[in-house]
Every structure is written in C-alpha cells, then in structure tokens.
Amino acid sequence: MSISRSYVNAFILLALSSAALGSPVLAQDSTLAATPPMGWNSWNHFAGRVSDADVRAAADALVSSGMRDAGYIYVNIDDTWEGTRDAQGVIQTNNKFPDMKALADYVHSKGLKLGIYSGPGPKTCAGFEASYQHEDQDAKSYAAWGIDYLKYDLCSFRNIMRQQAPHDQEKQNAMMKEAYEKMHKALLATGRPIVYSLCQYGWDDVWKWGPNVGGNLWRTTDDINDTYTRMADIGFSQLGLAKYAAPGHWNDPDMLEVGNGGMTGDEYRTHMSLWAILAAPLLAGNDLSKMTPETLSILTNKEVIAVDQDPLGKQGDRASAVGMTEIWTKPLSGGAVAAGLFNRDDAEHSVTLHLRDIGFEAGAKVRDLWKHEDVSATHGSYTVTVPPHGVVMLKVSR
Ligand code: GLA
C-alpha cells in the first residue's frame, strides 16, 4: 500500500469514527476534488437518450481530442440509467446500460473516472428509480461497479419533505440535510473515494452547509440551458459566494453548454471564462464525438483552464460594474489575478482595467488568455473593446 493510499484510508477511518461520535462528517479525503472537478456529463446533450455506447464514445473522444490531457477526467452518466430493484432490493441498470461494471472498467482503462446519478427520493427527476431507503445498498453497488463520482438530485424527496413536515420549512430543511448526510455516510462506508455532488438547486443556502454533509460540490441554481440569457443569468448571479468555495468544496453553477449550438463563439467564451473565474466544475455537456474546432479550442484553452484549476482554490467575484460591463477577478497562486472583462450588452463596449484597482502597479505583466499573447499596460491601465455578450480574459502578474 502506498503512503498516500494509507493516508487516505486513515482519513476515511477518522471520518467514520467522528461520524459515529456524532461530530460533523468530514469530507472523504483532502485530495478528493482538491480543484473543481472536470469532465463530461451526459445530460445537457443526450438527456434521457444516453446509452452505454454514448458514454463509451464520450470516453474515447475525451482521449482522442486531448480533453483528458487538458484535465477532463470524469465521465458522468446523468439520469435515466436506472432499472428496477431485484428481490433483495439491489438496484439494476436498464437495458441502455447492460453492464455498468464493464463500462466502468472501459472508462478506467482510458485513464478516466466514471460518475453516476441518483437522488434521496423514491424517484429521480426523470421518474427513474432513486435511492430512498436503499442508500447503503446503492452506495455498495456503486463502489462494486467502480464508480468515482455521484450526483445526488433532490427531486422527489421534496414530496417526502412536504408529506412528513407540511408547512414546516425548518423541519423540511433539516430532513433535506439529513438525507444528503445519509448518502455521504453510505459512500464513506464503502471505503471508495467517490466525489459527492449535491444537486438541490441551492435551496436553503446550500453553500453554508454543503461541506457539513460531505458535499464536494453543490449546485447553486436551477438548471442551465443552452441560451445566452440563462447562462448569463446564472453566471453573473453568483455574487458573494466566493467565500464558500475551497479545495474539496465548490459552488456549482451547473454544467457547461459550450458546443451545444445555442450560443455564439463569443457567448461560449464568456461561459467558459466566467465559470473559470467562479472556480466552477468544468463538466462539458456537448456531444464530444461531433465537436467543431472552435468548440474544442474553447473547452481546451489551457490558460483559461489554469484559472479554474488554480491550486489556491479561491473563487472569484465581481470587482466592478459600469453599465452593462462587469469586471470579475479571481486571486491566483503566486500573487497573480485573473480578470474577466465582460460585456453583457448587445453592442460592443470599451472596457478599462485599472491595475491599481486590483492591487498592481503600472508595468505589471498583463496577458490575454484567449489571444494567448501579452498586452501592454505600461501606463497602469488596459483599455480594450469587448464584443457584444463577449469577454476579454486577462491574467495580471508581477
Ligand atoms: C435535474 C437536474 C439536472 C439533471 C436532471 C435529470 O433537473 O438539475 O441537472 O440531472 O434533473 O433528470
């Protein structure tokens, strides 16, 4: 057993014994989701149609496109893989997924990890079997299959909350937290490191209690869709959440829509840049086997990905807003700062970044992360024209 593996096991034991003593549940280990998870999820493109073949094709494409090597490691199956339970209550896959263990083996053989989806209610959002009263059994099945990531979606548990605590919001919130903690304990008990993704749309300020129930990430909003309006509504509304993000614990403004066809290149660059500044999980949601060169270049911009994945693990926030333009900044390791100059208007605008506003002197190094070139800010500011719904993404360092 390697040192790091035994350290992880010791940490899990510590977490289990502290859970048994009733103290707060610790995250599974300090290395799980040390930076925001990156990968792919089936929902935004395939929704209820996803099959074993689609997941294998996504895994193949992650490798052949270079996305895996850019950091996209998780291959996450969303809703609609679930079958019924056998006589012992063990969850089965449906006929779109003939053999989940074989699929996990295939995904692992590519140097990738496999994610799955369930929820604390009796049914998932798409009406498939979920984990209510089968949490331990399901966690064991996931571990036995070789699952590395679980997205756990509230959905029909809301009905249970309403039935059991009608008109008592406080009690309902407590039930919700308990349900999330229950699955976390079940995952811990398997001994397999499984990233735990809470999906309950931000209810009851999940960012304040997500870590206490074992969440590595938690959705902060309702669902995204492939329109500029919805993406911008979600992304630019993440004000004030930065202090709740840290290594192992991330705010999740939902998965990427880059490449799904509903936005322009500038809009998708805004999406990717904003998510990087938010230290958001980068879960591509497009059909990876049919990507245009532009889609691939947006998803694999290494300089933008490095902002998202910066080891300091600080989420960015809005620094200023003038009319329909906004500057968002994110502290990076080594004293650098990423700055997104966003234009939310339908017409182009000139935007100026004053270096002293973000703690730098004239002469600091300024780099344009989409053009991949250094730009000049010798007089202490940088002024640039930003296209409609577009962004200029900069990294400033000494
Ligand atoms: C909810 C979630 C989505 C997706 C669907 C699946 O709407 O928020 O991300 O998982 O359920 O049914």
Side-chain angles (χ1 to χ4, degrees):
M1 183 185 289
S2 71
I3 292 174
S4 65
R5 186 65 208 167
S6 59
Y7 171 79
V8 166
N9 284 345
F11 208 97
I12 289 169
L13 275 179
L14 179 71
L16 281 174
S17 50
S18 69
L21 292 172
S23 46
V25 180
L26 298 175
Q28 300 191 64
D29 76 69
S30 56
T31 56
L32 204 56
T35 59
M38 288 179 68
W40 172 85
N41 174 293
S42 58
W43 188 255
N44 284 354
H45 177 77
F46 290 96
R49 301 180 308 277
V50 66
S51 69
D52 176 285
D54 297 322
V55 175
R56 285 172 193 251
D60 293 347
L62 284 172
V63 177
S64 62
S65 67
M67 283 179 69
R68 178 195 62 187
D69 295 342
Y72 293 86
I73 293 297
Y74 289 97
V75 180
N76 292 348
I77 307 167
D78 207 278
D79 205 350
T80 79
W81 63 268
E82 310 87 344
T84 49
R85 295 185 183 277
D86 71 10
Q88 282 69 46
V90 176
I91 186 78
Q92 309 294 304
T93 53
N94 62 40
N95 58 13
K96 296 190 298 155
F97 289 89
D99 186 342
M100 198 59 90
K101 171 86 173 69
L103 179 56
D105 289 346
Y106 183 79
V107 167
H108 292 154
S109 77
K110 304 263 162 183
L112 298 163
K113 292 175 182 290
L114 188 64
I116 211 164
Y117 168 99
S118 188
K123 295 287 174 205
T124 66
C125 292
F128 287 68
E129 189 71 15
S131 297
Y132 184 57
Q133 294 180 335
H134 293 276
E135 295 82 0
D136 290 319
Q137 256 180 333
D138 286 359
K140 279 187 196 143
S141 295
Y142 305 154
W145 290 335
I147 297 295
D148 306 293
Y149 185 117
L150 172 67
K151 172 175 168 183
Y152 207 49
D153 196 342
L154 189 65
C155 259
S156 69
F157 192 74
R158 286 176 294 195
N159 303 335
I160 308 251
M161 286 155 52
R162 286 177 196 133
Q163 277 156 17
Q164 293 188 9
H167 315 299
D168 186 344
Q169 196 58 52
E170 217 166 295
K171 176 94 191 296
Q172 290 184 18
N173 289 342
M175 287 178 68
M176 175 170 63
K177 289 171 199 171
E178 219 173 278
Y180 275 97
E181 185 165 359
K182 188 173 199 176
M183 181 49 100
H184 176 59
K185 287 180 177 168
L187 293 175
L188 278 182
T190 69
R192 185 176 175 85
I194 297 176
V195 170
Y196 190 33
S197 160
L198 315 189
C199 179
Q200 46 77 278
Y201 341 111
W203 283 20
D204 194 29
D205 294 352
V206 62
W207 40 90
K208 293 181 181 158
W209 52 268
N212 300 336
V213 299
N216 295 114
L217 59 156
W218 44 82
R219 279 270 298 277
T220 56
T221 71
D222 268 324
D223 291 10
I224 196 166
N225 62 43
D226 188 22
T227 61
Y228 175 76
T229 310
R230 181 67 188 146
M231 180 279 292
D233 272 356
I234 290 179
F236 291 111
S237 73
Q238 302 296 296
L239 288 168
L241 296 186
K243 63 172 183 273
Y244 301 103
H249 306 291
W250 307 104
N251 291 303
D252 173 7
D254 208 354
M255 305 169 291
L256 298 173
E257 292 283 6
V258 176
N260 279 333
M263 295 184 231
T264 66
D266 281 324
E267 291 169 343
Y268 283 137
R269 274 183 284 279
T270 291
H271 187 7
M272 186 77 185
S273 305
L274 188 50
W275 263 236
I277 285 182
L278 295 171
L282 297 179
L283 295 169
N286 56 318
D287 182 354
L288 302 179
S289 61
K290 294 192 190 75
M291 270 188 287
T292 64
E294 185 179 34
T295 294
L296 181 61
S297 77
I298 293 172
L299 289 170
T300 55
N301 182 327
K302 290 193 176 159
E303 296 191 80
V304 173
I305 291 173
V307 170
D308 181 78
Q309 295 288 302
D310 187 83
L312 197 57
K314 293 243 187 258
Q315 179 172 333
D317 214 330
R318 192 169 73 187
S320 62
V322 177
M324 294 289 281
T325 68
E326 301 187 10
I327 297 180
W328 287 64
T329 57
K330 177 187 200 276
L332 303 175
S333 50
V337 170
L341 281 48
F342 295 97
N343 174 11
R344 300 180 62 179
D345 202 4
D346 298 334
E348 64 177 34
H349 283 284
S350 163
V351 180
T352 298
L353 175 70
H354 296 283
L355 296 185
R356 65 170 183 279
D357 291 351
I358 60 165
F360 289 85
E361 311 272 327
K365 180 180 166 185
V366 182
R367 186 167 173 79
D368 184 319
L369 304 186
W370 286 108
K371 287 194 170 152
H372 303 295
E373 63 190 30
D374 292 350
V375 297
S376 165
T378 38
H379 300 297
S381 65
Y382 180 64
T383 299
V384 66
T385 301
V386 186
H389 297 178
V391 62
V392 171
M393 177 86 156
L394 304 171
K395 178 179 172 181
V396 184
S397 51
R398 284 183 180 86

